[in-house]
Amino acid sequence: MAAVVQLQRQFIEYTTSLYNEGYLDDQFTQLQKLQDESNPDFVVEVVSLFFEDSEKLLNNLATALQQKTVDYKQVDSHVHQFKGSSSSIGAQRVTNVCVHFRNFCEEKNLEGCLRCLQQAKHEYILVRNKLEALFRLEQQILQAGGSIPIME
Amino acid sequence: MYVYRCPHAHITLQSVISNLIFFEKCLADTADFILNFASMECYGEDVPHVLAVDDNLIDRKLVEKLLKSSSCRVTTAENGMRALEYLGLRENHQQNNGSKVNMIITDYCMPGMTGYELLQKIKESSWLKEVPVIIMSSENIPTRINECLEMGAEMFMLKPLKLSDVKKLRHQLTNVEVVKR
Protein backbone atom coordinates (compact mmCIF):
# COMPACT_ATOMS: atom_id res chain seq x y z
CA MET A 1 0.00 0.00 0.00
CA ALA A 2 2.82 2.37 0.96
CA ALA A 3 4.54 1.46 -2.29
CA VAL A 4 1.50 2.54 -4.29
CA VAL A 5 1.26 5.86 -2.45
CA GLN A 6 4.96 6.43 -3.01
CA LEU A 7 4.64 5.69 -6.72
CA GLN A 8 1.59 7.91 -7.04
CA ARG A 9 3.44 10.76 -5.36
CA GLN A 10 6.35 10.24 -7.75
CA PHE A 11 3.92 10.31 -10.65
CA ILE A 12 2.36 13.58 -9.53
CA GLU A 13 5.76 15.21 -8.97
CA TYR A 14 7.07 14.02 -12.31
CA THR A 15 4.01 15.12 -14.26
CA THR A 16 4.04 18.52 -12.55
CA SER A 17 7.68 19.02 -13.47
CA LEU A 18 6.97 18.15 -17.09
CA TYR A 19 4.33 20.87 -17.25
CA ASN A 20 6.46 23.37 -15.34
CA GLU A 21 9.47 22.82 -17.56
CA GLY A 22 7.33 23.25 -20.65
CA TYR A 23 7.76 19.75 -22.02
CA LEU A 24 4.01 19.27 -21.96
CA ASP A 25 1.12 21.68 -22.14
CA ASP A 26 -2.62 21.57 -21.57
CA GLN A 27 -3.20 19.63 -24.78
CA PHE A 28 -1.63 16.57 -23.12
CA THR A 29 -4.22 16.89 -20.34
CA GLN A 30 -6.92 16.94 -23.03
CA LEU A 31 -5.60 13.61 -24.32
CA GLN A 32 -5.72 12.13 -20.83
CA LYS A 33 -9.29 13.34 -20.39
CA LEU A 34 -10.26 11.46 -23.55
CA GLN A 35 -8.98 8.17 -22.17
CA ASP A 36 -11.77 6.03 -20.76
CA GLU A 37 -12.87 2.43 -20.25
CA SER A 38 -13.80 2.09 -23.91
CA ASN A 39 -10.30 3.19 -24.90
CA PRO A 40 -7.99 2.65 -21.90
CA ASP A 41 -4.78 2.94 -23.93
CA PHE A 42 -5.71 6.02 -25.92
CA VAL A 43 -2.87 8.23 -24.70
CA VAL A 44 -0.19 5.59 -25.27
CA GLU A 45 -1.62 4.85 -28.72
CA VAL A 46 -1.65 8.45 -29.86
CA VAL A 47 1.77 9.16 -28.39
CA SER A 48 3.19 6.03 -30.06
CA LEU A 49 1.82 7.26 -33.38
CA PHE A 50 3.49 10.58 -32.68
CA PHE A 51 6.83 8.86 -32.04
CA GLU A 52 6.63 6.90 -35.29
CA ASP A 53 5.52 9.90 -37.27
CA SER A 54 8.19 12.17 -35.77
CA GLU A 55 11.02 9.82 -36.56
CA LYS A 56 9.88 9.66 -40.16
CA LEU A 57 9.59 13.43 -40.36
CA LEU A 58 13.03 14.00 -38.84
CA ASN A 59 14.57 11.64 -41.39
CA ASN A 60 12.71 13.32 -44.23
CA LEU A 61 13.87 16.71 -43.01
CA ALA A 62 17.50 15.58 -42.83
CA THR A 63 17.28 14.22 -46.38
CA ALA A 64 15.55 17.31 -47.72
CA LEU A 65 18.16 19.61 -46.20
CA GLN A 66 21.02 17.55 -47.60
CA GLN A 67 19.91 18.08 -51.22
CA LYS A 68 22.16 20.10 -53.52
CA THR A 69 19.24 22.40 -54.20
CA VAL A 70 17.07 22.51 -51.11
CA ASP A 71 13.34 22.57 -51.76
CA TYR A 72 12.28 24.86 -48.92
CA LYS A 73 8.61 24.34 -49.69
CA GLN A 74 9.05 20.64 -49.08
CA VAL A 75 11.05 21.29 -45.90
CA ASP A 76 8.36 23.67 -44.68
CA SER A 77 5.68 21.11 -45.43
CA HIS A 78 7.43 18.54 -43.21
CA VAL A 79 7.93 21.10 -40.44
CA HIS A 80 4.26 22.05 -40.69
CA GLN A 81 3.33 18.40 -40.14
CA PHE A 82 5.72 18.14 -37.21
CA LYS A 83 4.39 21.34 -35.70
CA GLY A 84 0.84 20.06 -36.06
CA SER A 85 1.33 16.67 -34.52
CA SER A 86 3.52 17.89 -31.65
CA SER A 87 0.95 20.57 -30.88
CA SER A 88 -1.86 18.02 -30.95
CA ILE A 89 -0.26 15.91 -28.24
CA GLY A 90 0.99 18.85 -26.19
CA ALA A 91 4.73 18.50 -26.84
CA GLN A 92 5.16 22.24 -26.42
CA ARG A 93 8.93 22.57 -26.73
CA VAL A 94 8.96 20.66 -30.01
CA THR A 95 6.17 22.87 -31.35
CA ASN A 96 8.10 26.00 -30.39
CA VAL A 97 11.19 24.87 -32.29
CA CYS A 98 8.99 24.17 -35.32
CA VAL A 99 7.73 27.74 -35.26
CA HIS A 100 11.28 29.08 -35.56
CA PHE A 101 12.07 26.39 -38.12
CA ARG A 102 9.24 27.58 -40.37
CA ASN A 103 10.57 31.13 -40.23
CA PHE A 104 13.97 29.95 -41.47
CA CYS A 105 12.25 28.00 -44.25
CA GLU A 106 10.50 31.14 -45.38
CA GLU A 107 13.82 32.98 -45.40
CA LYS A 108 15.43 30.04 -47.21
CA ASN A 109 18.12 30.17 -44.53
CA LEU A 110 19.94 26.84 -44.71
CA GLU A 111 22.07 27.36 -41.63
CA GLY A 112 19.06 28.37 -39.58
CA CYS A 113 17.16 25.34 -40.84
CA LEU A 114 19.96 22.95 -40.00
CA ARG A 115 20.24 24.41 -36.48
CA CYS A 116 16.51 24.06 -36.00
CA LEU A 117 16.59 20.49 -37.22
CA GLN A 118 19.17 19.69 -34.56
CA GLN A 119 17.09 21.46 -31.92
CA ALA A 120 13.91 19.74 -33.04
CA LYS A 121 15.60 16.37 -32.85
CA HIS A 122 17.00 17.19 -29.42
CA GLU A 123 13.65 18.34 -28.04
CA TYR A 124 11.87 15.38 -29.58
CA ILE A 125 14.27 12.90 -27.95
CA LEU A 126 13.89 14.65 -24.61
CA VAL A 127 10.09 14.58 -24.67
CA ARG A 128 10.08 11.01 -25.91
CA ASN A 129 12.26 9.92 -23.00
CA LYS A 130 10.13 11.86 -20.53
CA LEU A 131 6.88 10.37 -21.85
CA GLU A 132 8.30 6.87 -21.85
CA ALA A 133 9.36 7.35 -18.23
CA LEU A 134 5.88 8.63 -17.41
CA PHE A 135 4.22 5.61 -19.02
CA ARG A 136 6.57 3.28 -17.12
CA LEU A 137 5.56 4.94 -13.86
CA GLU A 138 1.91 4.46 -14.80
CA GLN A 139 2.51 0.78 -15.42
CA GLN A 140 4.26 0.42 -12.07
CA ILE A 141 1.33 2.03 -10.27
CA LEU A 142 -1.19 -0.21 -12.05
CA GLN A 143 0.87 -3.33 -11.40
CA ALA A 144 1.10 -2.42 -7.73
CA GLY A 145 -2.68 -2.34 -7.70
CA GLY A 146 -3.09 1.43 -7.56
CA SER A 147 -4.84 3.89 -9.84
CA ILE A 148 -3.27 6.70 -11.85
CA PRO A 149 -3.80 10.08 -10.15
CA ILE A 150 -5.75 12.54 -12.24
CA MET A 151 -3.90 15.77 -12.82
CA GLU A 152 -6.00 18.90 -13.14
CA MET B 1 -35.18 -46.21 -78.43
CA TYR B 2 -35.92 -44.22 -75.36
CA VAL B 3 -35.62 -40.50 -75.78
CA TYR B 4 -35.25 -38.68 -72.56
CA ARG B 5 -36.54 -35.18 -72.69
CA CYS B 6 -34.60 -33.02 -70.27
CA PRO B 7 -37.11 -31.29 -67.99
CA HIS B 8 -34.85 -28.27 -67.88
CA ALA B 9 -34.52 -27.88 -71.64
CA HIS B 10 -35.91 -24.36 -71.46
CA ILE B 11 -32.96 -23.25 -69.39
CA THR B 12 -30.14 -21.96 -71.56
CA LEU B 13 -26.66 -20.94 -70.48
CA GLN B 14 -27.68 -17.35 -71.18
CA SER B 15 -30.60 -17.53 -68.81
CA VAL B 16 -28.48 -19.15 -66.12
CA ILE B 17 -25.98 -16.32 -66.35
CA SER B 18 -28.62 -13.59 -66.20
CA ASN B 19 -30.23 -15.30 -63.25
CA LEU B 20 -26.88 -15.46 -61.48
CA ILE B 21 -26.30 -11.76 -62.15
CA PHE B 22 -29.71 -10.94 -60.77
CA PHE B 23 -29.05 -13.16 -57.77
CA GLU B 24 -25.71 -11.43 -57.15
CA LYS B 25 -27.43 -8.04 -57.18
CA CYS B 26 -30.03 -9.30 -54.71
CA LEU B 27 -27.25 -10.51 -52.45
CA ALA B 28 -25.45 -7.17 -52.67
CA ASP B 29 -28.64 -5.24 -51.94
CA THR B 30 -29.39 -7.49 -49.00
CA ALA B 31 -25.86 -7.06 -47.67
CA ASP B 32 -26.20 -3.28 -47.94
CA PHE B 33 -29.51 -3.35 -46.18
CA ILE B 34 -28.16 -5.52 -43.37
CA LEU B 35 -25.13 -3.29 -42.91
CA ASN B 36 -27.23 -0.13 -42.79
CA PHE B 37 -29.73 -1.72 -40.50
CA ALA B 38 -26.98 -3.06 -38.25
CA SER B 39 -25.28 0.31 -38.04
CA MET B 40 -28.59 1.97 -37.25
CA GLU B 41 -29.14 -0.58 -34.54
CA CYS B 42 -25.69 0.09 -33.11
CA TYR B 43 -25.82 3.80 -33.33
CA GLY B 44 -29.48 4.64 -33.35
CA GLU B 45 -30.94 7.14 -35.75
CA ASP B 46 -30.24 10.13 -33.52
CA VAL B 47 -26.48 9.65 -33.60
CA PRO B 48 -24.93 12.15 -35.98
CA HIS B 49 -22.52 10.83 -38.55
CA VAL B 50 -19.50 13.06 -38.99
CA LEU B 51 -16.90 12.85 -41.75
CA ALA B 52 -13.51 14.08 -40.49
CA VAL B 53 -10.88 14.97 -43.08
CA ASP B 54 -7.23 15.54 -42.17
CA ASP B 55 -3.96 14.49 -43.76
CA ASN B 56 -2.19 14.26 -40.37
CA LEU B 57 -2.59 10.82 -38.82
CA ILE B 58 -2.32 12.03 -35.21
CA ASP B 59 -4.88 14.77 -35.79
CA ARG B 60 -7.23 12.28 -37.44
CA LYS B 61 -7.02 9.99 -34.44
CA LEU B 62 -7.56 12.89 -32.07
CA VAL B 63 -10.57 14.36 -33.86
CA GLU B 64 -12.08 10.90 -34.18
CA LYS B 65 -11.79 10.29 -30.45
CA LEU B 66 -13.10 13.76 -29.61
CA LEU B 67 -16.16 13.22 -31.77
CA LYS B 68 -16.78 9.67 -30.54
CA SER B 69 -16.61 10.97 -26.96
CA SER B 70 -19.43 13.30 -27.95
CA SER B 71 -21.53 10.38 -29.17
CA CYS B 72 -20.95 10.82 -32.86
CA ARG B 73 -20.39 8.16 -35.41
CA VAL B 74 -17.15 9.04 -37.20
CA THR B 75 -15.68 8.26 -40.58
CA THR B 76 -12.23 9.64 -41.37
CA ALA B 77 -10.64 10.52 -44.69
CA GLU B 78 -7.02 11.42 -45.26
CA ASN B 79 -7.58 13.93 -48.05
CA GLY B 80 -10.19 15.83 -50.04
CA MET B 81 -10.36 13.32 -52.89
CA ARG B 82 -11.13 10.42 -50.55
CA ALA B 83 -13.69 12.58 -48.75
CA LEU B 84 -15.47 13.38 -52.01
CA GLU B 85 -15.42 9.73 -53.06
CA TYR B 86 -16.97 8.76 -49.76
CA LEU B 87 -19.65 11.38 -50.18
CA GLY B 88 -20.42 10.10 -53.67
CA LEU B 89 -19.20 13.15 -55.51
CA ARG B 90 -16.65 12.40 -58.16
CA GLU B 91 -15.57 14.99 -60.72
CA ASN B 92 -18.73 16.96 -60.05
CA HIS B 93 -20.95 14.10 -61.08
CA GLN B 94 -23.43 13.01 -58.52
CA GLN B 95 -23.30 9.33 -57.75
CA ASN B 96 -26.12 8.02 -55.69
CA ASN B 97 -24.08 5.50 -53.75
CA GLY B 98 -22.52 8.20 -51.56
CA SER B 99 -22.77 7.91 -47.79
CA LYS B 100 -24.97 10.18 -45.76
CA VAL B 101 -23.27 12.43 -43.23
CA ASN B 102 -24.67 15.06 -40.88
CA MET B 103 -21.52 17.14 -40.68
CA ILE B 104 -18.09 17.44 -42.28
CA ILE B 105 -15.07 18.68 -40.37
CA THR B 106 -11.96 19.28 -42.39
CA ASP B 107 -8.43 20.56 -41.99
CA TYR B 108 -7.55 23.58 -44.10
CA CYS B 109 -3.95 22.78 -45.08
CA MET B 110 -3.94 19.54 -46.98
CA PRO B 111 -1.87 18.47 -49.99
CA GLY B 112 -3.72 18.17 -53.31
CA MET B 113 -7.02 19.70 -52.31
CA THR B 114 -7.20 22.22 -49.50
CA GLY B 115 -10.04 22.27 -47.00
CA TYR B 116 -11.29 25.42 -48.71
CA GLU B 117 -11.43 23.66 -52.09
CA LEU B 118 -13.24 20.74 -50.51
CA LEU B 119 -15.71 23.17 -48.92
CA GLN B 120 -16.25 24.79 -52.30
CA LYS B 121 -17.02 21.47 -54.00
CA ILE B 122 -19.46 20.55 -51.26
CA LYS B 123 -21.28 23.87 -51.46
CA GLU B 124 -21.46 23.60 -55.27
CA SER B 125 -23.15 20.23 -55.02
CA SER B 126 -26.93 20.42 -55.08
CA TRP B 127 -27.44 17.58 -52.65
CA LEU B 128 -24.46 18.14 -50.32
CA LYS B 129 -24.59 21.91 -49.87
CA GLU B 130 -26.89 21.71 -46.83
CA VAL B 131 -24.36 19.63 -44.89
CA PRO B 132 -22.60 21.86 -42.33
CA VAL B 133 -18.85 22.09 -42.90
CA ILE B 134 -16.39 23.02 -40.18
CA ILE B 135 -12.89 24.11 -41.12
CA MET B 136 -9.95 23.53 -38.76
CA SER B 137 -6.56 25.14 -38.95
CA SER B 138 -3.49 25.50 -36.78
CA GLU B 139 -3.05 29.02 -38.15
CA ASN B 140 -5.13 31.96 -37.03
CA ILE B 141 -5.26 33.96 -40.26
CA PRO B 142 -8.27 36.33 -40.41
CA THR B 143 -8.38 36.46 -44.23
CA ARG B 144 -8.41 32.68 -44.33
CA ILE B 145 -11.18 32.52 -41.75
CA ASN B 146 -13.31 35.06 -43.60
CA GLU B 147 -12.74 33.34 -46.90
CA CYS B 148 -14.04 30.07 -45.45
CA LEU B 149 -17.02 31.61 -43.72
CA GLU B 150 -17.96 33.44 -46.90
CA MET B 151 -17.78 30.18 -48.85
CA GLY B 152 -20.36 28.82 -46.43
CA ALA B 153 -18.38 27.13 -43.67
CA GLU B 154 -20.42 26.82 -40.51
CA MET B 155 -17.49 27.46 -38.22
CA PHE B 156 -13.77 27.87 -38.18
CA MET B 157 -11.86 26.16 -35.39
CA LEU B 158 -8.30 26.56 -34.26
CA LYS B 159 -6.20 23.44 -33.80
CA PRO B 160 -5.40 21.61 -31.66
CA LEU B 161 -9.02 20.77 -30.95
CA LYS B 162 -10.14 20.35 -27.36
CA LEU B 163 -13.13 18.72 -25.70
CA SER B 164 -14.82 22.11 -25.23
CA ASP B 165 -14.56 22.78 -28.99
CA VAL B 166 -16.28 19.53 -29.79
CA LYS B 167 -19.04 20.28 -27.29
CA LYS B 168 -19.69 23.46 -29.31
CA LEU B 169 -19.81 21.36 -32.49
CA ARG B 170 -22.28 18.95 -30.98
CA HIS B 171 -24.47 21.84 -30.01
CA GLN B 172 -24.28 23.09 -33.58
CA LEU B 173 -25.40 19.71 -34.88
CA THR B 174 -28.50 19.62 -32.73
CA ASN B 175 -29.34 23.21 -33.70
CA VAL B 176 -29.05 22.41 -37.38
CA GLU B 177 -31.33 19.42 -36.97
CA VAL B 178 -33.90 21.43 -35.05
CA VAL B 179 -33.92 24.09 -37.78
CA LYS B 180 -34.32 21.42 -40.48
CA ARG B 181 -37.42 20.04 -38.79
Side-chain angles (χ1 to χ4, degrees):
Chain A
M1 196 54 205
V4 171
V5 172
Q6 171 80 319
L7 284 167
Q8 286 171 329
R9 199 177 296 141
Q10 236 184 303
F11 177 85
I12 293 170
E13 271 170 25
Y14 194 58
T15 310
T16 308
S17 75
L18 291 180
Y19 284 97
N20 287 344
E21 289 162 33
Y23 288 104
L24 296 176
D25 65 23
D26 179 63
Q27 189 61 20
F28 189 74
T29 319
Q30 291 290 315
L31 287 188
Q32 289 176 314
K33 286 191 175 153
L34 283 170
Q35 189 158 286
D36 57 23
E37 307 82 49
S38 69
N39 212 165
D41 298 315
F42 178 68
V43 181
V44 172
E45 278 169 19
V46 178
V47 172
S48 301
L49 278 175
F50 170 69
F51 290 164
E52 261 177 60
D53 198 51
S54 301
E55 270 149 54
K56 244 182 270 175
L57 283 168
L58 285 166
N59 284 334
N60 290 341
L61 280 166
T63 308
L65 287 169
Q66 274 160 18
Q67 300 306 304
K68 268 217 179 96
T69 323
V70 175
D71 180 355
Y72 286 98
K73 253 186 138 183
Q74 176 73 293
V75 177
D76 182 67
S77 158
H78 291 313
V79 181
H80 176 78
Q81 285 289 312
F82 202 15
K83 176 171 164 275
S85 40
S86 58
S87 158
S88 291
I89 68 141
Q92 197 185 60
R93 282 160 70 143
V94 176
T95 310
N96 291 342
V97 175
C98 289
V99 172
H100 295 303
F101 203 155
R102 289 197 84 187
N103 290 335
F104 285 125
C105 287
E106 219 183 292
E107 292 168 20
K108 296 192 163 70
N109 182 333
L110 183 59
E111 221 186 280
C113 283
L114 288 168
R115 260 203 320 269
C116 277
L117 176 57
Q118 283 319 301
Q119 277 180 306
K121 203 168 178 184
H122 177 71
E123 288 299 340
Y124 162 69
I125 291 170
L126 278 175
V127 81
R128 187 188 64 195
N129 291 344
K130 305 264 177 199
L131 285 170
E132 283 174 343
L134 190 68
F135 293 148
R136 272 197 302 272
L137 252 178
E138 282 185 353
Q139 282 309 300
Q140 283 178 296
I141 294 173
L142 292 172
Q143 272 159 21
S147 60
I148 317 283
I150 299 178
M151 309 293 299
E152 280 306 320
Chain B
M1 199 165 79
Y2 178 73
V3 175
Y4 179 72
R5 184 165 174 76
C6 175
H8 306 297
H10 62 287
I11 295 175
T12 60
L13 186 59
Q14 182 82 355
S15 67
V16 168
I17 290 171
S18 54
N19 276 321
L20 269 173
I21 290 170
F22 178 65
F23 182 60
E24 192 188 26
K25 182 163 194 316
C26 286
L27 264 178
D29 285 343
T30 310
D32 270 336
F33 173 77
I34 290 173
L35 280 170
N36 281 327
F37 184 74
S39 66
M40 264 165 54
E41 282 292 290
C42 285
Y43 295 104
E45 280 193 57
D46 289 333
V47 174
H49 182 195
V50 183
L51 174 66
V53 192
D54 199 317
D55 60 314
N56 187 309
L57 177 59
I58 285 101
D59 285 345
R60 256 195 329 271
K61 195 155 164 99
L62 179 61
V63 82
E64 182 184 37
K65 188 72 171 82
L66 280 165
L67 289 166
K68 280 185 173 165
S69 300
S70 297
S71 317
C72 293
R73 181 180 150 211
V74 187
T75 301
T76 59
E78 58 185 26
N79 58 48
M81 281 311 302
R82 295 269 166 93
L84 290 176
E85 272 171 30
Y86 184 77
L87 294 165
L89 179 62
R90 200 186 299 216
E91 280 155 27
N92 301 319
H93 299 312
Q94 178 176 336
Q95 287 176 262
N96 283 322
N97 56 354
S99 302
K100 182 176 186 295
V101 300
N102 303 105
M103 178 178 273
I104 297 161
I105 179 164
T106 177
D107 189 23
Y108 183 94
C109 280
M110 293 190 291
M113 188 188 300
T114 65
Y116 177 81
E117 286 161 351
L118 175 60
L119 167 68
Q120 206 170 14
K121 291 215 162 26
I122 291 165
K123 292 302 168 188
E124 281 168 6
S125 146
S126 54
W127 94 103
L128 279 176
K129 63 180 179 200
E130 295 302 319
V131 179
V133 182
I134 314 274
I135 309 272
M136 312 180 269
S137 177
S138 53
E139 289 159 318
N140 191 350
I141 299 172
T143 47
R144 177 183 290 185
I145 298 173
N146 286 329
E147 188 184 54
C148 291
L149 294 173
E150 268 165 38
M151 182 48 72
E154 207 70 31
M155 251 197 265
F156 187 97
M157 295 192 135
L158 223 47
K159 283 165 109 175
L161 253 56
K162 301 180 189 320
L163 271 163
S164 52
D165 294 325
V166 177
K167 291 208 168 97
K168 252 186 255 161
L169 274 180
R170 201 61 183 78
H171 208 66
Q172 191 74 8
L173 270 166
T174 36
N175 285 346
V176 169
E177 281 171 11
V178 166
V179 166
K180 277 210 181 115
R181 281 191 219 114

